[in-house]
Amino acid sequence: MYVIMGGSGHVGSALAETLLKRGEAVTIVTRDATHGSSAAGLGAETAVADVNDVESLRAAFRLGRRAFLLNPPAEITTDTDVVERETAAKIVAALAGSGLEKVVAESTAAAQPGERIGDSNTLWELEEGLRAQPIPAAINRAGYYMSNWDAQLEGIRKTGKLQTNFPADFEIPMVAPRDLGVIAAERLTSPIDDDGVRFIEGPKRYSSADVAKAFAAALGREVEVVVTPREQWVATYLKLGFSQPAAESYSRMTGLALDKGFHLVDSIHGPTTLERYIRDLVDRQPG
């Protein structure tokens, strides 16, 4: 049995479906039994647990021999750093006494020690917690999710403008969530000694200009890249509903990526191109 956190999300659902189609037994961890998952229709079981309740999460882990770990993103109206650091620590705590023989954890390509740099430091702390405990842990450091562009589809349809914090020609590692799920399945079923950090990205690096071109091709209209100046990042996040601490943290995380770049070593490359991902997105959500 494989236990999967985040089984209703982009990566977790792709992971669950991949395993189920191979005939593996899967349990999806959810805090709400009424919250649907596409994997349920393929035969996945459900375990109710709350990431803030260590005992319930440990009980869910005990249902399987291997588990996929995903630190859930905090609500943007909260102090996201504080919330995500707490949930990361509770996930690690729940592993003690779980009986698991191996775990696979989703992290970010930008993981690094620091303070108030969003996922970069909260997921680094999750990694550190996993390295300090005895269960072998495979850590997948993912590039920028292509699905992060999904929310802009309707705005692009209406205005022909793509909003970004990065310079239009700044290339970053992007990856399709479904590819992350498939690769997580490979590491979850691989030998126990397949542990440690692996970087994961798509077939090539892409810029915001490439994203605009992909939307333009899929929608059959021109798409302009609109770059938000750094001094406006915090204000822009606040307008989107972020709390002040979250807006500042996300802005610092973005600035760090821009200033330091991305240095991925020996990456695993998913096959899905940005163009294919955007085309499929547009097809799934016809205007």
Side-chain angles (χ1 to χ4, degrees):
M1 175 71 73
Y2 295 92
V3 179
I4 299 175
M5 297 184 68
S8 60
H10 289 294
V11 178
S13 61
L15 165 58
E17 290 170 16
T18 300
L19 292 173
L20 288 163
K21 288 176 181 178
R22 295 179 184 178
E24 303 287 359
V26 170
T27 292
I28 301 297
V29 179
T30 178
R31 64 179 179 180
D32 184 353
T34 65
H35 192 64
S37 168
S38 58
L42 296 174
E45 298 180 16
T46 299
V48 178
D50 189 328
V51 71
N52 289 300
D53 182 343
V54 172
E55 289 303 323
S56 71
L57 190 56
R58 181 180 292 122
F61 289 155
R62 284 175 175 159
L63 297 173
R65 62 189 183 89
R66 298 188 179 192
F68 176 73
L69 312 178
L70 186 147
N71 195 27
E75 294 290 337
I76 61 173
T77 55
T78 67
D79 186 333
T80 51
D81 281 54
V82 170
V83 173
E84 291 177 11
R85 291 174 105 164
E86 290 177 350
T87 52
K90 288 174 180 177
I91 290 170
V92 174
L95 295 177
S98 67
L100 291 168
E101 66 177 17
K102 180 181 179 180
V103 296
V104 175
E106 188 77 359
S107 186
T108 174
Q112 59 192 286
E115 290 288 335
R116 294 285 172 181
I117 49 175
D119 287 347
S120 294
N121 73 265
T122 60
L123 289 176
W124 170 265
E125 290 173 20
L126 173 62
E127 291 186 14
E128 287 289 271
L130 293 175
R131 284 187 276 267
Q133 56 82 54
I135 300 171
I139 296 168
N140 289 346
R141 287 188 180 175
Y144 189 84
Y145 285 20
M146 292 178 184
S147 55
N148 287 335
W149 301 106
D150 290 10
Q152 294 208 44
L153 174 57
E154 291 310 310
I156 292 170
R157 276 196 171 111
K158 293 176 182 177
T159 67
K161 295 181 179 181
L162 175 88
Q163 307 292 331
T164 181
N165 288 338
F166 292 118
D169 60 353
F170 182 71
E171 293 184 341
I172 62 176
M174 299 185 194
V175 62
R178 176 156 291 277
D179 291 351
L180 290 171
V182 172
I183 292 167
E186 295 299 329
R187 298 203 78 190
L188 201 56
T189 57
S190 66
I192 290 177
D193 61 2
D194 173 24
D195 59 2
V197 171
R198 292 298 305 271
F199 291 95
I200 305 173
E201 56 183 310
K204 56 176 287 189
R205 301 285 175 94
Y206 298 100
S207 66
S208 298
D210 294 323
V211 177
K213 290 176 184 177
F215 272 112
L219 293 169
R221 63 163 300 166
E222 291 186 3
V223 177
E224 175 189 359
V225 178
V226 179
V227 179
T228 302
R230 186 183 295 227
E231 62 271 16
Q232 296 178 18
W233 288 353
V234 171
T236 299
Y237 281 123
L238 290 173
K239 288 179 182 178
L240 292 172
F242 285 67
S243 69
Q244 185 73 34
E248 293 174 357
S249 179
Y250 273 65
S251 295
R252 279 193 284 268
M253 177 171 61
T254 304
L256 195 64
L258 182 57
D259 295 339
K260 296 183 65 175
F262 295 88
H263 305 285
L264 282 62
V265 180
D266 296 329
S267 295
I268 299 173
H269 292 271
T272 304
T273 65
L274 175 67
E275 293 79 10
R276 173 63 184 272
Y277 179 84
I278 297 296
R279 185 168 64 250
D280 288 347
L281 170 66
V282 171
D283 289 344
R284 290 195 309 271
Q285 301 181 30

